[in-house]
Amino acid sequence: MDKADSKKVSAMSPLKEVNAVDRTLYHKKKRIGDTILRGLIYLCAGFSSILILVIIGYVFSKAIPHFHFKNLIEPMSQLMNPEGLLGNIINTLYIVVGTLLFACPIGIGAAIYLNEYAKNKKFVAAVSFTTEVLSGIPSIIFGLFGMIFFGEMLHLGYSVINGCFTLTILILPIIIRNTQVALESVPSSYREAALGIGSTKWYMIRTVILPSAMPGILTGVILAESAALLFTAGSGYFMPRGFFTHLMESGGTLTIQLYMAMSNAEYGQAFVIAMILIILVLIMNFIAKWLSSKFNVEKAK
């Protein structure tokens, strides 16, 4: 082979290699298995979305004929307005805010310790396994524990503060586990860079790790459940007589009032309460999504 032929072959061989790679990537993208799997994923996502919309539409269609705006601004009264929900809405806000005030510092602090400070890997694995087990326990068990321990042993009785303590125990495993996952997702290069410029470990966690993991932490915080409140917070629908004194009084939330309405065959009021709960959940999720996107924008800057 002369020089001209060798140059022609050497010039053409890279082109052939590129074409071969392109053909390989093209055929890899068009594999039938990937197409089927992608179609199944879209099908499941579409079915889930349609199912949620059907449930929301059904609840709204049953609730709107029985909905009166005055029920949201007037407390329940057996004589004047037996369907007033203002007291239950206020009790729900008490429970949600109180639970988050107790659970967030403990849960986020525990996750920070386990992920950033704890050196014993076996201890971390044992605590992580325990939190996963606790997150799978039915909420009614937590309700019975709260009734016996907080209600009977600590003499809190049926009160809002008892409900806050019980829900704190209930959602702590969720917050701890989700915060751990969020902290683990932060690249180790962030930690190395912060420590490399001389910052202390706590300063690095406070200014670098937590802001980066905040979207995942917010996702864990927003998850909560209220089925245990029947045995702890009680079912009182009265308006608060004082801001702090109400913590020691019985306070039925919207979920408890929903249960009571269904037990008394008051289906119209039950659907109205369900509609209000759906709206509150959607608002909370939109707020969490907005905060997460805000932290992501700031992190990108």
Side-chain angles (χ1 to χ4, degrees), residues 6 26 50 71 92 105 109 180 183 190 209 227 249 273:
S6 62
Y26 176 79
I50 292 173
N71 294 338
T92 302
Q180 277 187 281
L183 293 173
Y190 287 16
I209 303 301
E249 298 173 347
I273 297 172

Side-chain angles (χ1 to χ4, degrees), residues 135-172:
S135 62
I137 295 178
S139 58
I140 193 70
I141 305 300
F142 288 96
L144 292 173
F145 172 80
M147 180 181 67
I148 295 172
F149 182 74
F150 297 120
E152 299 294 333
M153 296 183 64
L154 299 183
H155 305 289
L156 295 178
Y158 292 103
S159 61
V160 172
I161 193 70
N162 188 355
C164 292
F165 286 155
T166 304
L167 274 187
T168 297
I169 299 175
L170 179 63
I171 70 173
L172 263 180

Side-chain angles (χ1 to χ4, degrees), residues 4 24 33 68 81 99 118 130 132 147 173 195 205 222 259 292 298:
T24 304
H68 302 286
N81 188 8
T99 301
T130 304
E132 291 176 359
M147 180 181 67
L195 295 175
I205 293 172
I222 208 67
Y259 169 78
S292 299
E298 291 179 358

Side-chain angles (χ1 to χ4, degrees), residues 184-244:
E184 290 170 358
S185 66
V186 178
S188 58
S189 58
Y190 287 16
R191 297 173 173 84
E192 295 169 358
L195 295 175
I197 61 176
S199 66
T200 62
K201 190 162 189 175
W202 171 240
Y203 185 82
M204 176 264 295
I205 293 172
R206 181 167 54 87
T207 59
V208 178
I209 303 301
L210 285 180
S212 301
M214 193 55 67
I217 295 174
L218 287 173
T219 303
V221 169
I222 208 67
L223 299 174
E225 186 179 348
S226 301
L229 294 176
L230 181 62
F231 297 110
T232 55
S235 58
Y237 52 83
F238 306 105
M239 291 291 292
R241 291 175 290 183
F243 185 80
F244 291 106

Side-chain angles (χ1 to χ4, degrees), residues 55-292:
I55 293 174
I56 294 176
Y58 178 77
V59 171
F60 275 57
S61 65
K62 293 290 186 179
I64 289 175
H66 303 276
F67 176 76
H68 302 286
F69 185 73
K70 67 176 184 178
N71 294 338
L72 301 180
I73 59 176
E74 293 182 3
M76 183 181 294
S77 172
Q78 297 300 329
L79 296 177
M80 302 295 295
N81 188 8
E83 296 183 352
L85 298 172
L86 182 59
N88 300 107
I89 294 174
I90 293 176
N91 290 332
T92 302
L93 295 177
Y94 263 93
I95 293 288
V96 171
V97 175
T99 301
L100 293 180
L101 288 177
F102 290 129
C104 287
I106 299 173
I108 296 175
I112 290 174
Y113 172 76
L114 292 173
N115 200 73
E116 303 295 334
Y117 289 97
K119 303 298 183 183
N120 192 333
K121 299 300 181 183
K122 292 183 178 179
F123 172 75
V124 174
V127 174
S128 300
F129 175 76
T130 304
T131 55
E132 291 176 359
V133 171
L134 287 175
S135 62
I137 295 178
S139 58
I140 193 70
I141 305 300
F142 288 96
L144 292 173
F145 172 80
M147 180 181 67
I148 295 172
F149 182 74
F150 297 120
E152 299 294 333
M153 296 183 64
L154 299 183
H155 305 289
L156 295 178
Y158 292 103
S159 61
V160 172
I161 193 70
N162 188 355
C164 292
F165 286 155
T166 304
L167 274 187
T168 297
I169 299 175
L170 179 63
I171 70 173
L172 263 180
I174 301 173
I175 293 179
I176 292 174
R177 192 62 197 136
N178 280 276
T179 304
Q180 277 187 281
V181 173
L183 293 173
E184 290 170 358
S185 66
V186 178
S188 58
S189 58
Y190 287 16
R191 297 173 173 84
E192 295 169 358
L195 295 175
I197 61 176
S199 66
T200 62
K201 190 162 189 175
W202 171 240
Y203 185 82
M204 176 264 295
I205 293 172
R206 181 167 54 87
T207 59
V208 178
I209 303 301
L210 285 180
S212 301
M214 193 55 67
I217 295 174
L218 287 173
T219 303
V221 169
I222 208 67
L223 299 174
E225 186 179 348
S226 301
L229 294 176
L230 181 62
F231 297 110
T232 55
S235 58
Y237 52 83
F238 306 105
M239 291 291 292
R241 291 175 290 183
F243 185 80
F244 291 106
T245 57
H246 187 61
L247 294 174
M248 304 304 298
E249 298 173 347
S250 175
T253 60
L254 288 170
T255 53
I256 301 304
Q257 190 59 34
L258 174 61
Y259 169 78
M260 301 295 290
M262 290 296 295
S263 300
N264 297 327
E266 298 172 354
Y267 301 118
Q269 186 187 22
F271 277 110
V272 170
I273 297 172
M275 181 180 69
I276 295 172
L277 285 171
I278 290 174
I279 294 173
L280 289 177
V281 170
L282 290 176
I283 291 174
M284 292 176 65
N285 278 276
F286 279 129
I287 292 174
K289 197 73 176 176
W290 177 75
L291 290 175
S292 299

